Amino acid sequence: MSVRVRFAPSPTGQLHIGNVRTALYSWLWARQTGGAFVLRIEDTDEKRSTPEAVATVYESLRWLGLDWDEGPEAGGEHGPYLQSERKALYREHAEKLIAEGAAFRCYATREEIQALRADYEVRHGKGFRFRSPWRERTDGDPNAPHTVRFRAPSEGDTGWEDLVYGAVSYPNAEQQDFPLLRPNGLPLYNFGCFVDDLTMGITLVSRGDDHLVNTPQQLLLYRAWRAIAAGTEPPRFAHLPIVLGPDGKRFSKRHGAAAVLEYREKGYLPEAVLNYLARLGWSHGDEEIFTRDELVAKFAWENVGRSPSKYDLKKFEHVQATHLREKKSDAELAVLVAPHLAARGVEVAAEDPRLVAAIAPVKLRATTLPELAEGLDYFFRPDADLTYEAKGRRKFLTEESAPRLAHLAGLVEAAEPFDEPTLESAITAWMEREELAMKHVAQPARVALTGRTRSPGLYETLVLLGQARSVARLRRGATLASEAAEVSG
RNA sequence: GGCCCCAUCGUCUAGUGGUUAGGACAUCGGCCUCUCACGCCGGUAACAGGGGUUCGAAUCCCCUUGGGGUCACCA
């Protein structure tokens, strides 16, 4: 049977980094096996689900490149893919379970149950398990408001072989007569999940390990369903340890940067996000850096860890920087960085060969796309708009450096051809004659050329800037330096 | 508290009875050097504790401790 996996988020806010990891593992498995990745929206909590959050799910997944074969906006033969549109299906399945005796109509009100719970907790503390007085009655009016409940067993255990945790089992005595359908006809999580996974032909359910305790209930439903459809087999399950914040507490907004789209805003590469998240709780020997395709090829459930792991921004940044530096071509980066340059008021076409050429040295000094844009800025900003770091100007555009900058401008102007070797030999020959150290020339020149105290190497910068602009900026720097001399003199 | 799960450097992890316990991030030295990076070399740093099993345990079993999850007509 071919693999069918699903990602089933509840749209109650931003798509969270922890959820993305479960989506990623499922997606990797589907792509590796040639199976189907199904997206389903679990929006049965009317109070918390919003259309905006649904849109965020789509946008986040698309940005990451986790495409779905079936689901909202993609279609498929098992739709609809929003639980809120599948009410009839839940009702139908509930009725069959009632007819079979596996479920029953319960007329106990929420208040009655709360009262029982409160009473229990006063006596015994936590751990109330509801046994409905209606579980053996059939005299209720099917048209009166009621909850459909599962007639839970209290003997034995329910267990399964988890792809991550191995053998897991829960005592049935822990079960209560859990609700399937609310009076308004909307399913509760476990029932909706069961009906959907069953009807969508899901072969492997992968989700956070906070769902470990839900699995027995779903297994019980599959077992009951055999009376209706002989041969029904439950899917396999793979539970993933949750992601913890640096403080060891469950990762949340409180830790900052929990939402996927925040990484897009910060200028991270989706491949880097996927790489970091994949490695958080999964490994492939000593390898650290993976492209999306490599992840697809190398992912394996048996290498998924069982202990919760902590989110570490420093390592995340390292993975991001490595992808920026090594896994993207300069032409690809040019396309990605162009909008960030535009945001800084620097207009340059992504195809501009000068942009592509400047990326190689600058990307060694950047982690994110905005940082790349910052490092590229002065190459494309008009000379007149160039600004100077106050500290660099004060320290290097001095009376002493003014004549050197002027002379350097002349050397640059005379360089023919205008390339690094020619510039280097001309400049070093001059420095030797004048007994100047490199730092006495390069640092003032750097400030004059870039406005900064940090940049790629001098010869590299000159060539990238071009002869005319280099000469103009050096002359302007010389002027500023002599003005500084007048002020201080 | 009941039930369930987990436990190797600060962090992510490799390791499946015999290893000087490896790698990566971080950190600390050093090299390179016109700045900042990149890169390279090197250092510090871990099997939670206690019992077993075994000729031999990070690896298997038990207990303790610690951490996490869950106990909603939420998902």
Side-chain angles (χ1 to χ4, degrees):
Chain A
M1 186 162 51
S2 72
V3 167
R4 289 179 60 79
V5 292
R6 83 314 191 269
F7 176 53
S10 57
T12 56
Q14 285 286 313
L15 191 61
H16 187 278
I17 239 39
N19 293 330
V20 169
R21 193 181 55 151
T22 68
L24 171 61
Y25 288 177
S26 291
W27 182 85
L28 291 173
W29 185 237
R31 292 293 168 263
Q32 182 182 102
T33 58
F37 180 63
V38 180
L39 176 63
R40 175 170 87 220
I41 304 296
E42 305 212 330
D43 57 347
T44 56
D45 185 341
E46 292 178 314
K47 288 187 277 292
R48 295 197 301 154
S49 300
T50 66
E52 293 74 30
V54 174
T56 294
V57 170
Y58 302 158
E59 197 178 352
S60 302
L61 255 22
R62 287 196 173 114
W63 178 65
L64 290 165
L66 302 183
D67 55 324
W68 55 99
D69 306 297
E70 289 176 32
E73 301 191 353
E77 41 186 281
H78 303 280
Y81 293 92
L82 264 63
Q83 288 192 327
S84 56
E85 297 172 4
R86 296 170 65 84
K87 282 187 184 182
L89 219 43
Y90 305 127
R91 182 95 252 168
E92 182 190 314
H93 281 72
E95 291 299 339
K96 284 184 180 168
L97 286 167
I98 292 170
E100 206 52 50
F104 61 93
R105 298 179 211 280
C106 172
Y107 298 86
T109 65
R110 185 168 188 162
E111 290 68 34
E112 287 171 318
I113 299 169
Q114 297 290 18
L116 286 169
R117 179 191 311 282
D119 185 57
Y120 178 94
E121 287 180 355
V122 168
R123 295 171 205 268
H124 312 284
K126 282 272 198 178
F128 172 71
R129 284 181 284 278
F130 181 54
R131 304 307 296 198
S132 172
W134 293 85
R135 75 195 310 260
E136 304 301 341
R137 290 173 64 175
T138 51
D139 57 329
D141 175 4
N143 295 316
H146 63 276
T147 298
V148 177
R149 289 181 188 282
F150 190 75
R151 184 175 282 117
S154 49
E155 306 280 307
D157 299 285
T158 301
W160 72 98
E161 190 68 20
D162 197 276
L163 261 57
V164 174
Y165 285 102
V168 185
S169 155
Y170 284 83
N172 289 334
E174 290 290 309
Q175 298 300 341
Q176 53 182 341
D177 290 336
F178 58 88
L180 269 26
L181 238 40
R182 300 177 170 96
N184 68 7
L186 282 170
L188 274 304
Y189 174 73
N190 282 305
F191 188 57
C193 197
F194 157 72
V195 173
D196 291 341
D197 288 337
L198 178 74
T199 57
M200 291 180 181
I202 299 302
T203 60
L204 171 66
V205 171
S206 171
R207 72 231 299 199
D209 74 357
D210 46 335
H211 287 299
L212 234 22
V213 291
N214 288 316
T215 309
Q217 295 181 11
Q218 294 176 27
L219 251 10
L220 253 14
L221 284 162
Y222 281 100
R223 200 157 76 192
W225 197 254
R226 285 189 192 151
I228 294 153
T232 298
E233 284 297 324
R236 305 200 69 190
F237 292 89
H239 289 90
L240 275 10
I242 61 162
V243 179
L244 269 23
D247 59 355
K249 301 293 178 194
R250 189 187 187 120
F251 191 60
S252 69
K253 286 191 284 288
R254 186 166 54 80
H255 296 99
V260 186
L261 293 179
E262 280 183 53
Y263 291 91
R264 181 178 66 178
E265 283 159 29
K266 287 182 175 173
Y268 278 65
L269 297 169
E271 292 83 353
V273 176
L274 260 21
N275 186 161
Y276 176 71
L277 256 21
R279 273 291 284 108
L280 199 60
W282 169 81
S283 61
H284 190 265
D286 284 342
E287 292 179 61
E288 297 286 350
I289 303 299
F290 302 84
T291 61
R292 193 192 316 254
D293 288 345
E294 287 167 343
L295 287 174
V296 169
K298 292 171 177 174
F299 177 76
W301 291 108
E302 62 183 28
N303 295 325
V304 174
R306 288 169 302 281
S307 53
S309 32
K310 291 181 187 136
Y311 173 92
D312 179 15
L313 183 59
K314 280 283 197 294
K315 182 142 187 177
F316 199 160
E317 285 174 341
H318 171 260
V319 171
Q320 157 65 21
T322 305
H323 275 265
L324 190 79
R325 210 184 305 129
E326 298 173 5
K327 297 295 175 185
K328 288 283 179 192
S329 71
D330 293 344
E332 287 171 318
L333 288 174
V335 173
L336 293 167
V337 81
H340 291 93
L341 280 163
R344 304 175 63 87
V346 176
E347 293 298 338
V348 51
E351 304 74 35
D352 191 325
R354 295 178 310 146
L355 175 59
V356 178
I359 284 175
V362 173
K363 70 182 179 184
L364 299 179
R365 299 163 169 83
T367 297
T368 61
L369 259 11
E371 285 174 21
L372 187 61
E374 186 188 1
L376 254 11
D377 185 301
Y378 53 80
F379 285 117
F380 305 98
R381 193 173 284 280
D383 295 346
D385 294 348
L386 193 67
T387 55
Y388 301 85
E389 286 174 12
K391 192 177 142 196
R393 184 173 171 177
R394 199 181 324 116
K395 190 167 177 188
F396 296 112
L397 297 188
T398 59
E399 178 177 13
E400 199 178 23
S401 63
R404 292 175 191 160
L405 286 170
H407 190 82
L408 187 60
L411 289 177
V412 170
E413 192 167 37
E416 177 57 40
F418 186 71
D419 57 21
E420 289 188 41
T422 308
L423 287 164
E424 182 167 3
S425 56
I427 293 169
T428 50
W430 163 60
M431 287 192 302
E432 272 175 41
R433 273 198 315 276
E434 303 292 323
E435 293 185 340
L436 287 167
M438 188 65 186
K439 62 180 174 184
H440 295 132
V441 174
Q443 283 298 82
R446 172 169 286 110
V447 174
L449 292 166
T450 71
R452 321 266 181 89
T453 52
R454 305 164 38 180
S455 82
L458 176 60
Y459 309 121
E460 209 166 17
T461 301
L462 286 167
V463 170
L464 288 169
L465 221 35
Q467 198 160 22
R469 307 181 80 187
S470 294
V471 170
R473 290 187 183 190
L474 287 169
R475 296 231 156 95
R476 185 173 176 212
T479 306
L480 289 168
S482 27
E483 284 167 4
E486 284 165 23
V487 171
S488 65

